[in-house]
């Protein structure tokens, strides 16, 4: 039976993790406006994340981490985003990279242990840099133009690989310590390899991030030239990938961020409505039924979105045998949450009217930030077509053939 979203958190551990995120969010909120205006990367926010130990949240306890599960991570992401969506979005890339690697168990154990211990010992941050300018999102398939050439190869595996290429949307790049780099292997296999590479001056910013929303994620376009990495950093090849199962840590993590941005917008709109007293009215606009209806519609949208998001995370967490089936649930949750968040923020802007467009209120920033959720995979159209094809296929599967009809 699905819980009502107002019942969360349901455990003391969840409450403690949310409390850490909330304390950080309060501080982030004091910086978010100025950072958004300047586009400056929020270095202080990531210093605070490291001080709080939140970078170790998805790291298993055996390596000294918190061992946060998917649902706990989704909750933390939502609450961090209430303070600053850009920081939360880029930090989710670290959380999902480690969380999904631990969950899938498809990394070489020594390599995963190295990353986890670095995260705990020195606050190392990681992101998977898969998107490329020509390729776009790898979720739609295609071979990366980034290549890895074997070096010093004998009869067995090469000693090292030489990586060259370009990656876009490299979120959190200014503070990255490691990057997971997918590259086409130039060894005649036709496969794509993924490498865990230490970020250093071999990674150069080709185009600095400059966007209307999520302005301080540091999602630069970067080039890699002559990045030599040991064979031991090869995580795996495309031929070894597991098919049919989505990345819940990414899909639900980014969805939680946009839910948090919209939640912050409701708080901002509610505060404005309670304090705005037009002379012609003589009382706060919060007492007007029309304003209450707008706030109520926004709250209802988020109530529904949060229930679906948290329930999907719970299902994924507790029923691993069903994850192939639950991949469709991930798409449904992402599309529902991001679209509900966009609509909710729009209601909040209407509450504030023209004042909502002024930078004296954070609503215009929330409006710009929340729309970025529509660009993450799966897109609305992609998800709708997939669900439509499933309906058609189910009908076809249940429709008897001509031969079967003759036997009836």
């Amino acid at each position: 039976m699905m819980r009502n979203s107002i019942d969360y958190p349901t455990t003391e551990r969840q409450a403690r993790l949310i409390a850490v995120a909330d304390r950080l969010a309060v501080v982030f909120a004091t910086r978010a406006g100025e950072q958004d205006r300047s586009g400056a990367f929020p270095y202080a926010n990531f210093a605070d994340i490291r001080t709080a130990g939140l970078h170790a949240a998805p790291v298993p306890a055996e390596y000294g981490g918190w061992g946060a599960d998917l649902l706990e991570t989704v909750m933390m992401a939502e609450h961090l985003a209430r303070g600053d969506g850009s920081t939360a979005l880029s930090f989710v890339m670290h959380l999902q990279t480690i969380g999904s690697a631990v969950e899938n168990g498809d990394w070489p154990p020594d390599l995963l242990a190295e990353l986890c211990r670095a995260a705990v010992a020195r606050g190392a941050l990681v992101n998977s840099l898969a998107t490329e300018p020509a390729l776009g999102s790898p979720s739609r398939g295609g071979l990366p133009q980034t290549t890895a050439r074997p070096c010093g190869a004998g009869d067995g595996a090469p000693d090292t690989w030489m990586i060259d290429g370009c990656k876009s949307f490299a979120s959190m790049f200014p503070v990255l310590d490691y990057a997971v780099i997918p590259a086409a292997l130039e060894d005649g296999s036709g496969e794509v390899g993924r490498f865990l590479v230490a970020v250093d001056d071999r990674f150069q910013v080709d185009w600095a991030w400059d966007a209307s929303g999520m302005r301080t994620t540091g999602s630069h376009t970067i080039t890699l030239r002559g990045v030599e990495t040991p064979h031991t950093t090869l995580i795996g090849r495309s031929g070894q990938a597991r098919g049919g199962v989505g990345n819940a840590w990414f899909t639900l993590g980014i969805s939680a961020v946009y839910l948090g941005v919209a939640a912050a917008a409701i708080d901002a709109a509610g505060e404005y409505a309670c304090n705005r007293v037009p002379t012609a009215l003589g009382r706060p606009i919060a007492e007007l039924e029309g304003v209450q209806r707008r706030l109520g519609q926004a709250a209802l949208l988020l109530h529904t979105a949060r229930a679906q998001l948290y329930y999907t995370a719970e299902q994924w967490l507790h029923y691993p045998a069903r994850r192939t089936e639950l991949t469709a649930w991930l798409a449904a949750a992402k599309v529902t949450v991001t679209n509900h968040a966009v609509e909710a923020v729009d209601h909040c802007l209407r509450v504030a009217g023209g004042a909502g467009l002024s930078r004296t209120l954070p609503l215009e920033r929330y409006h710009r930030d929340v729309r970025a959720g529509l660009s993450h995979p799966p897109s609305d159209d992609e998800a709708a077509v997939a669900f439509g094809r499933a309906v058609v296929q189910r009908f076809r599967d249940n429709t008897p053939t001509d031969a079967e009809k003759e036997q009836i």
Side-chain angles (χ1 to χ4, degrees), residues 88-353:
L89 181 61
S90 50
F91 183 54
V92 157
M93 301 308 165
H94 167 80
L95 299 175
Q96 70 90 16
T97 300
I98 295 181
S100 60
V102 172
E103 176 182 276
N104 293 336
D106 56 356
W107 282 40
D110 290 346
L111 200 57
L112 180 61
E114 175 189 336
L115 175 61
C116 288
R117 291 187 177 118
V120 172
R122 55 187 176 88
L125 298 171
V126 63
N127 188 9
S128 180
L129 309 185
T131 305
E132 297 185 359
L135 174 68
S137 171
S139 65
R140 293 184 179 272
L143 194 68
Q145 290 186 326
T146 299
T147 61
R149 175 171 51 87
C151 302
D155 295 333
D159 298 324
T160 61
W161 296 83
M162 190 70 70
I163 302 176
D164 293 278
C166 180
K167 297 294 182 179
S168 52
F169 295 97
S171 298
M172 206 172 43
F173 180 73
V175 291
L176 279 185
D177 298 281
Y178 291 94
V180 176
I181 304 293
L185 301 179
E186 294 188 332
D187 60 355
S189 67
E191 294 181 320
V192 175
R194 291 187 303 143
F195 298 85
L196 179 67
V197 183
V199 175
D200 53 28
D201 57 10
R202 299 172 300 176
F203 291 67
Q204 295 293 319
V205 175
D206 186 50
W207 181 79
W209 179 246
D210 185 14
S212 62
M214 293 296 182
R215 285 178 45 76
T216 64
T217 58
S219 301
H220 306 323
T221 297
I222 60 168
T223 56
L224 300 82
R225 293 289 180 262
V227 176
E228 189 172 8
T229 188
H231 180 72
T232 54
T233 63
L234 178 62
I235 298 169
R237 297 169 174 260
S238 59
Q240 301 169 358
R242 306 185 319 152
V245 178
N247 183 348
W249 288 76
F250 173 82
T251 304
L252 301 186
I254 60 103
S255 298
V257 169
Y258 296 102
L259 181 64
V261 171
I266 290 179
D267 287 347
E271 181 180 10
Y272 176 83
C274 289
N275 292 327
R276 171 62 174 154
V277 183
T279 56
L281 185 63
R283 54 196 172 102
I285 63 171
E287 297 181 20
L288 297 176
E289 183 177 319
V291 169
Q292 293 171 357
R293 182 178 296 109
R294 288 289 183 188
L295 293 173
Q297 287 173 311
L300 180 59
L301 285 164
L302 295 200
H303 181 95
T304 304
R306 186 175 294 109
Q308 183 167 353
L309 178 65
Y310 286 12
Y311 180 64
T312 302
E314 279 191 325
Q315 294 293 300
W316 188 272
L317 178 63
H318 296 307
Y319 300 100
R322 296 181 56 210
R323 284 177 181 163
T324 298
E325 170 194 345
L326 289 171
T327 298
W329 290 47
L330 301 181
K334 186 270 174 181
V335 169
T336 299
V337 172
T338 53
N339 280 277
H340 279 28
V342 168
E343 187 177 351
V345 174
D346 186 65
H347 283 300
C348 294
L349 267 180
R350 291 170 185 261
V351 166

Side-chain angles (χ1 to χ4, degrees), residues 34-56:
E34 180 56 38
Q35 289 170 342
D36 174 78
R37 281 187 283 273
S38 67
F41 186 80
Y43 289 100
N45 290 357
F46 282 91
D48 290 339
I49 284 172
R50 283 168 161 147
T51 299
L54 208 58
H55 59 279

